[in-house]
Amino acid sequence: MRFSRPVRAVLALVILSTYLLSQTSKAEAATIHGVVTDASGAKVRNAAVVLIHNGSIVASAVSGADGSFEMDTGTAGRFFLMISAQTFRQLETPVFYAGRMDQIERNLVMEPEWARESIVVTANGTPTPQAQVGAATTVLGLDELDLRTDLVSSLRMMPGTFVVQTGQLGAQTSLFVRGGDSDANKILLDGVDAGDLGGRFDFGPLSTTGLERAEVYRGPNSSLYGADAASGVVSLTTPRGTTSFPSILFHGDFGRFTTSQEDLELAGAHNKLDYLGEFSWLQTANDLPNDEFHVATASGNFGWQPNGSTQIRGTVHYGVDGTGVPGTYAFYGLSNSATQKDQDLFVSGSVENQTTVDFHNVIRYGATRKREQYHMWSQVGSGTFDAYGDSFGNAVTITGANGYSVSGQALMDYAGTYPQAYQLVSNRDALVYQGDYTFTPHIVGLIGFQYEDERGSEPGSSYYTPVERTNYDYRAAVHGDFRGRFFYTLGGDLEHYSLFGSEGTPQAGFSLYAMKPRSGVFSGTRVLFNFGDAVREPSLTDQFYSLYNFLASNGGQSTIQQLQVGPLAAPFTRTYEGGVEQSFFSQRLVFRTRFFHNEFGRQIEYVGLDLVPQLLPGLSAAQQNQLAQFLQANGAYELSLNSEAYRALGVETTVEGGIGAGIFLRGGYTYLDGVVQRSFTNSDVALLGPVPTFNGIPIGVYSPLQGARPFRRPPHTGFLSATYTHKSFSALLNSAFVSRSDDSDFLGGADLNGGNSLLLPNRNLDYGYAKLDLGASYQLRRWVGVYGIADNLTNNQHIAPIGYVSLPISVRAGLRLQWGRSKAQ
């Protein structure tokens, strides 16, 4: 068929216009490209990669022989990738923004279908698959946090860690990692240091509201995070809004001990902006007199991406809580008339930029504002008083897990003017820069700088002295691989802290595949090693109540010389660890074991009030008691000094694997051998008299004796976790097992005669326990679901240290309501 000249001209114009339009659209299209690998770094070919926008597939690609993929889209907006490949779990990436003509790189790491591998940041400072790092990391995700009101039980579900909660829900909770002290961990919330000045952090009132992930690094890592990362790092992350419309989620529950919780979340994304806001309220009466607890938490996460290479983000967390402090109820048969309140604010603002294909930069400002207020409202006792007006509890019998017992009445409250109150203030402003440069696909360099301005005080105390600390950190590291089999990390940090001066902290680690992942019975063998040094900044309380400062200002120069007491210095840690990871049955089962050896030096010990007056010669008994009352009224229950050293070696073992598509099992066991090498308690005999004894057994009242174990660090801990999912139903079973541990009842000089008859031997004083928790949820409709959780099914009330009473079995049940969708679809 032949067309006339005018028709041919029109057709030529249409074809030319279509061609030019297609070329223009392609020029304005966003390009998404990257490489698909497995956790070991091996390239994955024939992986199906689809690009999703507003619930629809807008582009797709298949990875080539080198694992690479590329796709274009002419639409600007928010996208995510979905990747699937044979023998791997389907992967969904976080949502990202792409504008026209943006070049977006997304390198994708596939996880084995049966095992659980995660991308971690705490090991190298940049996102890295767990299988490529030599350090020990564990990730707690939504499966572990979803039904929890706090992190306490979830933190028990990992090797090398031990959680101590001194009471019931909301009570002070400490985390011990691989034998280290509880204030030797760096706690990060969206990259911001959330701890008090000096590292102390109370997990008791921390709500899971606004938290989607907790990454726990076991081992010192001052080279990346500065002082206080001496035993471990816990990095908490806030979720982001993902849906292209506002999604509203509400859940509320009610349970035993008049416990209730309500939580409301609003989240979404529009064009370049994403947003999330969440608020929760939790309250409970607990199971003891004067032990009510409530906490209100608000969190927000707001991000703006002007283009595909730049992201500006701000997060905020604010928590207000109040709890009764009944104290060691089992020692008195009475609850103290005390309360503690906290107001904690954490703010993070960051600018992240992919400056070039190889150069990535982050600048972050972080603000921490913490207030802790403690009130002792009145003197409590059974009606028994001593000559100084001090009150005593009821007559009780105290029995330790070691079988020893004592009976009597213990000193409960000193005489004095009530109410007594003190407030601890910790403020911190930090500016952090980190840049990483990819020299080759196998070498990445990192540099960083951190500036901190810390301010603290303790108003209401005669020891009130505002403190300001200015700290600087300079850090550099390199990590990479050799032929996809040997992965390494080398780094170091130069720290200058105004309280203790300058310190250097190196780190090195590697991961070697002796057998690359493959099919078969033995399907991958990995050898691990890690080394690191770290220091800890003394806490604000340690600085205020330094034994050296107390003696120097109260005429105790002779005691300083005799006992060689010096100004506070930075406690330090050094670790060596090595291990093996073995996969079985085509990575359906993974076995890991690690050996670690930690040395802890210049550790801080505490001298109790009954010993402090004796360090000042020439005081009468009345003057000693008056001084003890004065110190207690000002919050100085103990004074601090650097006098302890100990080592902790042990073995961590975990096994995990899946059964079918819906069952995942994970278990672990840790053996810890801790031994005190030096203790102030053993070196003060000449001045303070002999160490107290129980039937000839020496007792460390405030600190463990030389040759003994550190307090509250059991030699045997373990856990077992099982999850089941099928269509709309999911269930979680968690169990933690702990052996007996050394401790003190701290009742030195606390009987009716001011003597030590209420002391018990330290060895195996705290009870071992088994804790069993069960949770389940069922989605009735797309918009409504039900859930329930039962804690402490074994009804064990010896989970807390001796003297404290743990919460008995508790059950909660609730309802979820959802408008919109919780994921971008």
Side-chain angles (χ1 to χ4, degrees):
M1 172 183 273
R2 298 191 59 170
F3 297 100
S4 64
R5 182 174 295 180
V7 172
R8 290 200 302 269
V10 170
L11 287 175
L13 182 61
V14 169
I15 293 172
L16 179 61
S17 300
T18 302
Y19 173 77
L20 292 175
L21 180 62
S22 66
Q23 294 301 307
T24 302
S25 298
K26 186 173 182 180
E28 293 183 354
T31 300
I32 293 90
H33 63 93
V35 177
V36 183
T37 65
D38 66 13
S40 71
K43 305 298 189 294
V44 177
R45 63 183 304 175
N46 294 328
V49 185
V50 296
L51 182 67
I52 300 177
H53 173 65
N54 287 340
S56 300
I57 297 175
V58 295
S60 63
V62 176
S63 62
D66 60 352
S68 65
F69 69 93
E70 182 175 320
M71 62 186 78
D72 298 323
T73 175
T75 304
R78 308 188 71 83
F79 305 86
F80 69 92
L81 296 172
M82 187 173 291
I83 311 94
S84 58
Q86 190 175 3
T87 74
F88 292 98
R89 183 183 296 109
Q90 182 172 281
L91 174 68
E92 185 178 303
T93 70
V95 175
F96 59 90
Y97 175 81
R100 290 183 175 88
M101 302 180 66
D102 279 342
Q103 296 286 324
I104 307 296
E105 183 177 22
R106 286 294 182 270
N107 294 320
L108 309 172
V109 180
M110 303 295 292
E111 299 179 1
E113 185 176 6
W114 305 96
R116 299 285 176 91
E117 296 282 357
S118 299
I119 302 297
V120 296
V121 179
T122 53
N124 293 337
T126 60
T128 307
Q130 279 180 305
Q132 297 181 20
V133 299
T137 56
T138 300
V139 176
L140 301 174
L142 286 177
D143 288 343
E144 292 84 4
L145 304 179
D146 188 34
L147 298 178
R148 292 293 178 187
T149 60
D150 57 28
L151 285 173
V152 177
S153 294
S154 298
L155 288 172
R156 293 188 171 103
M157 297 294 106
M158 63 186 70
T161 61
F162 181 59
V163 178
V164 174
Q165 187 167 35
T166 56
Q168 304 186 358
L169 190 63
Q172 182 176 343
T173 304
S174 304
L175 176 67
F176 297 85
V177 178
R178 288 184 169 180
D181 286 338
S182 61
D183 48 7
N185 306 309
K186 176 78 80 173
I187 312 301
L188 302 172
L189 183 52
D190 295 317
V192 174
D193 187 348
D196 294 348
L197 273 63
R200 187 175 70 93
F201 188 85
D202 183 4
F203 285 93
L206 179 66
S207 170
T208 55
T209 298
L211 300 180
E212 70 168 354
R213 173 185 167 100
E215 183 178 323
V216 181
Y217 177 103
R218 303 186 300 280
N221 201 351
S222 279
S223 64
L224 281 178
Y225 300 102
D228 302 339
S231 289
V233 178
V234 180
S235 180
L236 308 172
T237 306
T238 305
R240 304 177 181 182
T242 59
T243 55
S244 58
F245 43 82
S247 292
I248 302 175
L249 293 90
F250 170 82
H251 71 262
D253 56 63
F254 184 80
R256 196 179 179 198
F257 309 117
T258 61
T259 302
S260 64
Q261 183 194 32
E262 297 81 35
D263 187 290
L264 180 65
E265 176 188 307
L266 171 66
H270 177 69
N271 200 11
K272 300 179 180 183
L273 175 71
D274 63 82
Y275 55 91
L276 179 142
E278 188 171 0
F279 175 80
S280 72
W281 170 266
L282 168 70
Q283 63 182 17
T284 181
N286 279 320
D287 191 40
L288 291 177
N290 190 35
D291 201 14
E292 295 85 1
F293 168 66
H294 68 264
V295 57
T297 305
S299 65
N301 190 340
F302 307 93
W304 183 61
Q305 292 182 260
N307 53 57
S309 60
T310 303
Q311 178 177 227
I312 301 172
R313 183 161 300 279
T315 64
V316 60
H317 283 255
Y318 182 61
V320 180
D321 70 90
T323 181
V325 186
T328 47
Y329 184 88
F331 289 168
Y332 309 114
L334 297 169
S335 289
N336 248 317
S337 177
T339 59
Q340 179 177 315
K341 299 178 180 180
D342 301 278
Q343 302 92 41
D344 298 332
L345 174 66
F346 311 105
V347 177
S348 170
S350 64
V351 178
E352 185 174 358
N353 177 256
Q354 190 71 44
T355 310
T356 68
V357 174
D358 298 317
F359 192 28
H360 173 257
N361 294 274
V362 178
I363 298 176
R364 175 178 288 109
Y365 164 75
T368 301
R369 302 291 186 268
K370 305 187 73 174
R371 306 289 186 274
E372 178 184 310
Q373 300 155 329
Y374 179 85
H375 287 82
M376 179 76 78
W377 296 103
S378 62
Q379 187 177 12
V380 176
S382 62
T384 302
F385 298 88
D386 63 12
Y388 307 107
D390 305 330
S391 60
F392 289 77
N394 293 325
V396 296
T397 296
I398 304 170
T399 302
N402 50 24
Y404 296 109
S405 63
V406 291
S407 298
Q409 292 176 265
L411 174 64
M412 192 164 184
D413 290 333
Y414 285 103
T417 301
Y418 289 85
Q420 298 176 357
Y422 74 87
Q423 176 176 262
L424 193 64
V425 178
S426 293
N427 293 333
R428 181 186 296 107
D429 291 279
L431 185 64
V432 182
Y433 165 76
Q434 179 176 302
D436 57 86
Y437 187 83
T438 303
F439 293 96
T440 75
H442 304 285
I443 301 177
V444 178
L446 180 147
I447 58 172
F449 168 77
Q450 177 171 299
Y451 165 79
E452 288 183 333
D453 179 52
E454 298 181 320
R455 304 167 306 281
S457 61
E458 194 161 343
S461 166
S462 297
Y463 277 76
Y464 166 62
T465 305
V467 168
E468 183 168 7
R469 303 172 178 175
T470 303
N471 309 323
Y472 302 88
D473 287 275
Y474 307 88
R475 53 193 66 144
V478 61
H479 63 87
D481 71 280
F482 182 72
R483 294 189 175 181
R485 186 178 291 270
F486 180 80
F487 301 88
Y488 61 88
T489 299
L490 299 170
D493 181 76
L494 178 61
E495 308 165 15
H496 180 77
Y497 281 68
S498 58
L499 184 61
F500 60 77
S502 298
E503 297 277 354
T505 55
Q507 183 192 14
F510 71 77
S511 169
L512 171 65
Y513 272 97
M515 178 190 295
K516 295 278 284 185
R518 60 182 185 179
S519 300
V521 176
F522 297 96
S523 51
T525 304
R526 191 163 66 106
V527 180
L528 315 165
F529 173 79
N530 196 45
F531 162 81
D533 276 356
V535 294
R536 178 174 74 81
E537 184 183 31
S539 71
L540 196 64
T541 305
D542 292 338
Q543 184 177 356
F544 283 154
Y545 302 122
S546 160
L547 178 62
Y548 175 85
N549 292 342
F550 172 79
L551 293 174
S553 60
N554 287 278
Q557 283 77 11
S558 61
T559 305
I560 290 175
Q561 295 177 359
Q562 184 174 352
L563 296 180
Q564 298 181 342
V565 177
L568 278 182
F572 73 86
T573 307
R574 174 170 296 166
T575 189
Y576 300 89
E577 67 171 299
V580 176
E581 177 183 293
Q582 179 65 55
S583 299
F584 299 94
F585 309 113
S586 301
Q587 301 185 74
R588 284 175 167 82
L589 185 69
V590 180
F591 170 84
R592 301 181 180 96
T593 186
R594 292 174 181 268
F595 171 82
F596 59 87
H597 185 285
N598 295 337
E599 286 286 345
F600 300 92
R602 295 197 303 254
Q603 299 299 300
I604 293 178
E605 285 188 281
Y606 299 96
V607 178
L609 294 187
D610 64 317
L611 298 182
V612 169
Q614 300 174 48
L615 296 172
L616 299 175
L619 295 182
S620 66
Q623 290 173 322
Q624 291 181 3
N625 190 74
Q626 184 179 10
L627 179 57
Q629 293 179 18
F630 170 78
L631 292 171
Q632 187 202 34
N634 288 281
Y637 294 91
E638 301 166 319
L639 299 185
S640 55
L641 73 163
N642 296 96
S643 55
E644 186 180 56
Y646 63 95
R647 65 111 172 109
L649 58 87
V651 178
E652 298 174 355
T653 300
T654 61
V655 180
E656 64 179 47
I659 302 175
I663 299 176
F664 182 75
L665 303 174
R666 180 171 167 267
Y669 164 76
T670 300
Y671 169 72
L672 177 68
D673 179 22
V675 176
V676 175
Q677 298 161 321
R678 186 172 64 252
S679 171
F680 177 79
T681 306
N682 291 103
S683 61
D684 63 5
V685 175
L687 186 65
L688 300 176
V691 173
T693 62
F694 179 96
N695 293 338
I697 303 173
I699 298 173
V701 183
Y702 304 103
S703 300
L705 299 175
Q706 187 171 318
R709 300 174 188 149
F711 288 165
R712 299 182 181 177
R713 268 146 278 195
H716 306 281
T717 57
F719 66 91
L720 177 64
S721 176
T723 59
Y724 173 75
T725 56
H726 180 68
K727 295 183 179 178
S728 298
F729 178 76
S730 64
L732 172 66
L733 175 67
N734 283 342
S735 54
F737 312 93
V738 175
S739 68
R740 297 178 297 176
S741 57
D742 289 14
D743 205 348
S744 173
D745 60 18
F746 300 98
L747 294 177
D751 63 20
L752 285 171
N753 301 312
N756 298 319
S757 64
L758 295 178
L759 290 176
L760 287 168
N762 305 121
R763 190 71 167 184
N764 291 331
L765 185 61
D766 286 342
Y767 286 85
Y769 63 84
K771 185 177 187 292
L772 186 65
D773 305 330
L774 178 65
S777 64
Y778 182 75
Q779 198 70 23
L780 297 170
R781 295 286 188 273
R782 184 185 62 82
W783 56 274
V784 61
V786 294
Y787 65 94
I789 187 167
D791 271 329
N792 192 16
L793 289 172
T794 56
N795 204 38
N796 193 326
Q797 292 189 269
H798 288 296
I799 296 173
I802 188 169
Y804 297 95
V805 180
S806 300
L807 189 68
I809 181 174
S810 62
V811 179
R812 300 176 9 249
L815 188 71
R816 294 180 190 267
L817 302 175
Q818 178 176 312
W819 293 269
R821 294 187 287 270
S822 59
K823 292 183 179 180
Q825 296 180 355

